[in-house]
Amino acid sequence: MKRLKYIRQWLSDWNAIFINELRMIFSDSGVLIIFFLAGFVYPVLYNLIYGEGVLNGMPVAVVDRSGGTGSRRFIREMDATRELDVAYRCTDMAEAEELFMERKVKGIVMFPEDYDDRLAAMEPAVISTYADMSSFLYYKNLTMATGNVMISEMHDIQEKRFSAAGYGDRQTDQAVKPIKTEAVIPYNGTFSYTLFFIPAVLMIILQQTMFFGVSMLTGTMREQNHSFALIPDRLKGRGINRTVLGRGTAYWLIYIIMGIYTAVLIPRLFHLPQNGNPGDIFILLLAYIPACIVFSFTFSTFIRRRETAFVIFLFITPICLFLTGCSWPASNFPLFWKLFSCIFPSTFASRAFVNISSAGADLAMAGPQIRGLAAQTAVYYFLSCMAVYLENRKLKNRKRND
Amino acid sequence: MTVMMKFIKNTIAVIRREIRLMRQRPIYVVAPVCVMAFSMLFFFTLLKEGLPDNLPIGVVDHDCSSMSRNMTRQLDATQLGRTVMFGDCTEARKALQKGEISAFCVLPENMYEDALSGRQPTLTFYVNTLYFVGGALSYKNLLSMTNLFSGAVQMQALQAKGMNGEALIGQVRPITIDCHQIGNTATDYMVYLSNVMIPGMLELIIILVTVYALGSELKYGTSVHLMEKSGDSMAAALAGKLLPYTVFFTLLGITCDLILCRQTGLPIRGSILNMFLMTFLLVLASEAVAVFIIGTLPVLRVAISIAAMFSTLAFSLTGFTFPVESMPPYIQGLSAIFPLRHYYEFHVHEAILGNGFAGWHAQMTYMLMFLLLPFTVWRRLRRAWYRMDYPKN
């Protein structure tokens, strides 16, 4: 009987705290902007900004000092690639350099005077390229396109020479390509910026919007002289769990919707790869969102005034992105940053989401990340309870002193 | 007393008041210093290798011949790669999907025999480009590796036929490309990223702190006191409030420039003094954006949320990783509203290309144009400071 009463009381407290938190959220325009405006608009905006995520027809200048058939064919092939557009044909390097300095071209390809002569004499010929390193994508486009054209040209030249030496078709092919190569780039064949960047950023948006929303509310409550750690007085300081769980449920409810929008709907809307099982993605969200909630509860306790959260913590957002390892590889993180990255749920969730949704991994393969999120949830849950406990003791002391 | 004298007196009064506020609430000074210190530490140490080396690359060796073992060894020996052996393709594919390796190659059964007897075996490699830098580098590495091997087999066959010397090289590798990387010869990611990320962080913190400093007057109801001090002059109030921050942020920015210069070796051709000048302009432009935001939305909590959204977007729209010209046309214009975009373009002209004033005079003009922004909200902010009739919480 006593136990039943306890459970009923527990549920009613939990419910009251939950409803109160929802009311707080929905009556705060700053929080609503962060949760809903940022939460809904950011994923769309990032998709619009990056579009296809590829740089097509990058303008380059060509200096053809050789002017033979070989160099002319190379230039034609280069112009036909997706990556490059031969925008200017210059008579000398000075002219090309000027275009480069004016940023009208992002690269220069120079054929030396002896290019065709050397080819004719069966000597190795050298092409010089100059890449604008102000964005590495320029460099990548130039090297990839010239490299691919070079390989196909090389095979052409070799084939012609073997034919001239009296080889048959089959023999020529054997001599030119003793080993054939096939490159398979299964998940992002065009090296699209969008396909690597957006999936990683989606998970970060969920974590960061939640963190800043929670912090703003914590700050507000503190400013208004009542705490986030409100425990009904008659409980005499017990009931920490229902406080944390009651508040948490409010965010869970909102973020499970935001999560489905971000992780399921957005990839559909913008034709991002969806190679994963939707059920697996949902389970990932079920692991990620609680981790984000208790993470936010823990770190928001350091916020004294509502607006300072941004001033102190906004810079962490781009850093979180680097910590996912989607750009600089995680295998090359120094140990300190490897450990530091474990503070953020987004590190695990981004990797798991990219692997599941884009690369088609199953849930078992995302095991390490899910376990990481579970461990974070446990640790941060404990810390949020500690925070409530300490805050309550402080409040009580203050009351006694008054 | 002349008007000018009065203005100076009022401004000094406001400056005094602001310095007192900064001392009372250290967040204004401590937060920017900590943010910049942390960011620099982060980028300098995380990317200290410059170019990631020893990326894990999987090998599935079905051949187990002297040739396939030689290939594996060579791949392992390159600076970029480190081989991880897998028993079969499924295992390797799973590791690829999990992001544990960025690429793997499959050496087919009887590869050695087939290659020698002209049956042309196919070597397949798989690359995961969802992890961008690792994927792209492994792709490049594997491609040149396989070409090298194909060439080696060819060379053996030709040597058997009695060809040698330059003719042999000329036949196996008729064309080579000699790439010159202008502005970053070592393809150093640390140099590349930190030179824009650090000024980006500076822009971010300036906008936030300025919005916070101006908005706090409304939130804590102190703006009437501010206007009293400034002798009812909006110009004196704004100048007095912003001057201490401008000096502080400029000093902070110049310090960052000096550290960046030491760490990354840029500017190669340009002058550090020009970098200082542009940092100063970045400070002014960012403050102007902040004044515009708080003036348009004189409610601190809303303004700071909008400022936060704006500042994070700047990193993408600056276009230093993904170029602006490949964004959709309607987005391209949007990039102009971020001071960081103009700073980046200046940086390219000054530090990478060494074009000097002739290269970046347009960017300087754009930066100065940001200074017109406060005038558009002048009256609105003044009214808000006077009446304090906007919601405070």
Side-chain angles (χ1 to χ4, degrees):
Chain A
M1 197 55 206
K2 207 176 166 191
R3 176 170 296 173
L4 198 71
K5 200 180 156 200
Y6 175 77
I7 291 174
R8 201 176 294 154
Q9 187 59 51
W10 197 100
L11 284 174
S12 119
D13 289 343
W14 167 83
N15 187 49
I17 293 165
F18 164 62
I19 299 287
N20 180 51
E21 194 74 18
L22 274 182
R23 196 176 295 136
M24 300 273 303
I25 294 169
F26 282 95
S27 57
D28 189 314
S29 61
V31 175
L32 291 180
I33 286 181
I34 288 300
F35 277 3
F36 296 108
L37 187 67
F40 278 114
V41 169
Y42 261 88
V44 174
L45 213 52
Y46 275 117
N47 273 291
L48 292 180
I49 290 173
Y50 289 107
E52 292 282 308
V54 285
L55 174 60
N56 289 332
M58 179 181 98
V60 289
V62 165
V63 183
D64 186 3
R65 286 187 183 150
S66 170
T69 49
S71 60
R72 280 212 300 272
R73 199 173 54 189
F74 199 105
I75 294 166
R76 224 172 21 245
E77 295 270 314
M78 221 164 55
D79 201 19
T81 58
R82 178 182 64 74
E83 288 95 351
L84 299 185
D85 168 32
V86 177
Y88 298 90
R89 285 157 207 266
C90 305
T91 47
D92 55 19
M93 268 310 275
E95 195 186 336
E97 261 172 48
E98 199 171 309
L99 291 166
F100 188 86
M101 290 301 184
E102 286 168 9
R103 309 205 69 204
K104 285 183 180 152
V105 294
K106 302 297 190 289
I108 302 172
V109 183
M110 195 272 283
F111 296 84
E113 271 160 35
D114 60 355
Y115 179 78
D116 281 274
D117 296 342
R118 288 185 77 91
L119 283 184
M122 292 222 201
E123 284 164 12
V126 182
I127 299 171
S128 293
T129 59
Y130 300 82
D132 182 342
M133 299 300 278
S134 61
S135 166
F136 277 13
L137 220 54
Y138 297 144
Y139 167 63
K140 200 202 91 210
N141 258 24
L142 185 70
T143 37
M144 257 174 96
T146 50
N148 288 336
V149 173
M150 179 193 76
I151 289 170
S152 88
E153 274 297 287
M154 252 169 39
H155 287 157
D156 264 16
I157 293 168
Q158 289 172 335
E159 274 169 23
K160 270 184 205 142
R161 287 180 190 168
F162 280 113
S163 307
Y167 280 55
D169 280 357
R170 169 103 183 101
Q171 270 177 310
T172 302
D173 198 43
Q174 282 169 349
V176 172
K177 296 176 196 159
I179 301 172
K180 290 188 172 170
T181 0
E182 191 186 354
V184 186
I185 311 173
Y187 321 120
N188 182 5
T190 53
F191 288 82
S192 160
Y193 207 86
T194 311
L195 297 196
F196 107 85
F197 185 78
I198 307 273
V201 111
L202 288 179
M203 292 292 119
I204 290 176
I205 293 173
L206 286 176
Q207 173 190 292
Q208 293 305 95
T209 54
M210 190 193 299
F211 171 73
F212 287 116
V214 170
S215 298
M216 284 178 105
L217 278 179
T218 308
T220 311
M221 288 189 228
R222 283 215 167 116
E223 282 176 359
Q224 295 168 352
N225 262 331
H226 60 249
S227 164
F228 63 91
L230 225 55
I231 297 178
D233 279 341
R234 66 194 143 65
L235 288 170
K236 303 188 181 102
R238 281 172 298 149
I240 291 170
N241 281 309
R242 63 199 88 163
T243 310
V244 174
L245 288 173
R247 289 182 68 213
T249 313
Y251 297 102
W252 189 86
L253 201 67
I254 295 170
Y255 266 82
I256 206 73
I257 298 166
M258 297 304 293
I260 290 170
Y261 165 77
T262 312
V264 182
L265 213 61
I266 284 287
R268 265 195 207 172
L269 272 173
F270 291 97
H271 307 290
L272 297 174
Q274 302 149 61
N275 299 318
N277 179 351
D280 290 351
I281 290 171
F282 189 70
I283 292 172
L284 172 65
L285 287 176
L286 287 184
Y288 182 43
I289 289 168
C292 282
I293 294 170
V294 282
F295 163 84
S296 305
F297 283 177
T298 304
F299 285 99
S300 65
T301 47
F302 298 111
I303 302 298
R304 305 272 139 208
R305 295 168 192 272
R306 64 172 287 147
E307 290 81 9
T308 51
F310 289 109
V311 180
I312 300 173
F313 287 124
L314 187 68
F315 79 102
I316 275 295
T317 311
I319 283 177
C320 274
L321 186 67
F322 277 96
L323 289 177
T324 64
C326 68
S327 143
W328 184 264
S331 60
N332 294 58
F333 284 7
L335 181 68
F336 176 78
W337 295 118
K338 218 171 260 183
L339 296 174
F340 184 79
S341 73
C342 295
I343 294 175
F344 304 100
S346 62
T347 306
F348 296 117
S350 280
R351 287 179 199 167
F353 183 68
V354 167
N355 294 346
I356 294 176
S357 187
S358 307
D362 58 35
L363 206 58
M365 286 151 80
Q369 286 88 19
I370 304 270
R371 277 195 293 279
L373 289 171
Q376 282 176 332
T377 311
V379 170
Y380 287 130
Y381 181 77
F382 174 74
L383 289 176
S384 347
C385 289
M386 280 299 289
V388 172
Y389 173 75
L390 292 174
E391 180 93 356
N392 257 284
R393 219 173 54 177
K394 210 170 70 191
L395 286 179
K396 239 180 250 156
N397 285 342
R398 199 188 297 160
K399 227 179 251 173
R400 215 174 290 144
N401 292 342
D402 281 348
Chain B
M1 207 159 39
T2 62
V3 180
M4 198 60 207
M5 288 288 283
K6 211 168 139 195
F7 172 75
I8 291 172
K9 196 179 133 254
N10 289 333
T11 309
I12 289 172
V14 178
I15 292 175
R16 283 228 178 90
R17 174 179 178 275
E18 194 60 33
I19 290 172
R20 204 186 66 236
L21 280 176
M22 284 164 94
R23 273 171 42 201
Q24 276 169 3
R25 259 185 251 153
I27 184 177
Y28 292 126
V29 179
V30 174
V33 171
C34 289
V35 165
M36 294 317 291
F38 184 92
S39 307
M40 283 196 279
L41 194 73
F42 178 76
F43 288 108
F44 294 158
T45 54
L46 183 81
L47 310 172
K48 70 170 184 299
E49 287 169 33
L51 194 65
D53 50 25
N54 283 322
L55 293 168
I57 292 176
V59 173
V60 183
D61 187 356
H62 286 313
D63 187 32
C64 295
S65 64
S66 59
M67 184 194 199
S68 69
R69 277 196 297 273
N70 188 17
M71 273 186 174
T72 312
R73 246 194 326 272
Q74 297 241 8
L75 199 58
D76 199 38
T78 58
Q79 207 202 350
L80 269 178
R82 156 170 70 87
T83 50
V84 184
M85 302 305 290
F86 288 95
D88 58 58
C89 287
T90 322
E91 244 181 83
R93 195 210 63 217
K94 279 190 177 167
L96 188 75
Q97 280 176 305
K98 284 194 257 182
E100 290 170 357
I101 51 173
S102 46
F104 71 93
C105 63
V106 183
L107 309 175
E109 226 173 309
N110 299 328
M111 177 180 70
Y112 187 36
E113 271 178 47
D114 288 353
L116 288 186
S117 58
R119 279 193 293 268
Q120 295 175 294
T122 305
L123 190 154
T124 318
F125 61 84
Y126 296 79
V127 187
N128 183 353
T129 45
L130 294 170
Y131 295 91
F132 212 62
V133 175
L137 287 173
S138 299
Y139 174 78
K140 206 174 122 189
N141 199 20
L142 279 167
L143 202 64
S144 64
M145 228 21 224
T146 50
N147 275 313
L148 221 61
F149 264 94
S150 191
V153 175
Q154 218 185 89
M155 210 182 270
Q156 255 179 1
L158 292 172
Q159 268 169 338
K161 291 203 166 72
M163 200 187 259
N164 53 39
E166 195 164 356
L168 183 66
I169 309 283
Q171 174 58 10
V172 175
R173 209 170 167 74
I175 311 171
T176 39
I177 291 178
D178 177 23
C179 187
H180 307 255
Q181 287 118 297
I182 306 300
N184 192 341
T185 41
T187 333
D188 190 320
Y189 275 85
M190 195 268 276
V191 174
Y192 168 45
L193 292 175
S194 52
N195 269 301
V196 189
M197 288 304 292
I198 300 298
M201 290 292 194
L202 186 68
E203 185 200 79
L204 177 144
I205 198 74
I206 292 173
I207 295 179
L208 289 173
V209 168
T210 313
V211 166
Y212 188 60
L214 297 179
S216 292
E217 301 285 350
L218 294 161
K219 177 167 169 168
Y220 299 108
T222 51
S223 54
V224 171
H225 177 248
L226 167 73
M227 294 314 276
E228 259 170 42
K229 279 269 172 195
S230 75
D232 285 339
S233 153
M234 183 65 183
L238 212 52
K241 262 200 96 66
L242 291 181
L243 217 61
Y245 293 104
T246 312
V247 172
F248 165 59
F249 289 136
T250 308
L251 287 176
L252 184 66
I254 286 177
T255 312
C256 294
D257 281 347
L258 286 171
I259 297 173
L260 266 175
C261 176
R262 238 183 94 93
Q263 288 283 332
T264 67
L266 286 183
I268 302 172
R269 297 189 225 183
S271 134
I272 189 88
L273 292 176
N274 287 341
M275 309 279 285
F276 292 166
L277 170 70
M278 206 42 106
T279 302
F280 175 60
L281 290 179
L282 178 70
V283 171
L284 290 183
S286 306
E287 285 179 350
V289 168
V291 173
F292 181 75
I293 292 174
I294 190 72
T296 319
L297 301 156
V299 185
L300 180 57
R301 62 168 171 204
V302 181
I304 201 116
S305 300
I306 298 293
M309 290 176 71
F310 179 87
S311 328
T312 28
L313 268 184
F315 290 101
S316 290
L317 280 158
T318 293
F320 74 109
T321 49
F322 187 66
V324 167
E325 65 264 28
S326 40
M327 294 173 188
Y330 52 91
I331 298 285
Q332 290 182 17
L334 207 62
S335 72
I337 64 171
F338 298 90
L340 187 62
R341 163 77 183 151
H342 307 295
Y343 181 86
Y344 161 66
E345 296 223 284
F346 154 80
H347 168 77
V348 174
H349 278 297
E350 178 68 25
I352 294 181
L353 301 175
N355 280 340
F357 181 76
W360 47 259
H361 62 91
Q363 274 67 42
M364 199 175 93
T365 317
Y366 300 144
M367 284 287 214
L368 289 171
M369 276 163 69
F370 278 96
L371 302 186
L372 298 175
L373 277 177
F375 297 104
T376 60
V377 293
W378 195 264
R379 285 181 52 194
R380 192 175 159 83
L381 189 60
R382 183 193 166 90
R383 205 164 52 217
W385 271 349
Y386 261 116
R387 295 192 196 154
M388 295 198 290
D389 51 358
Y390 287 95
K392 290 199 181 87
N393 271 309

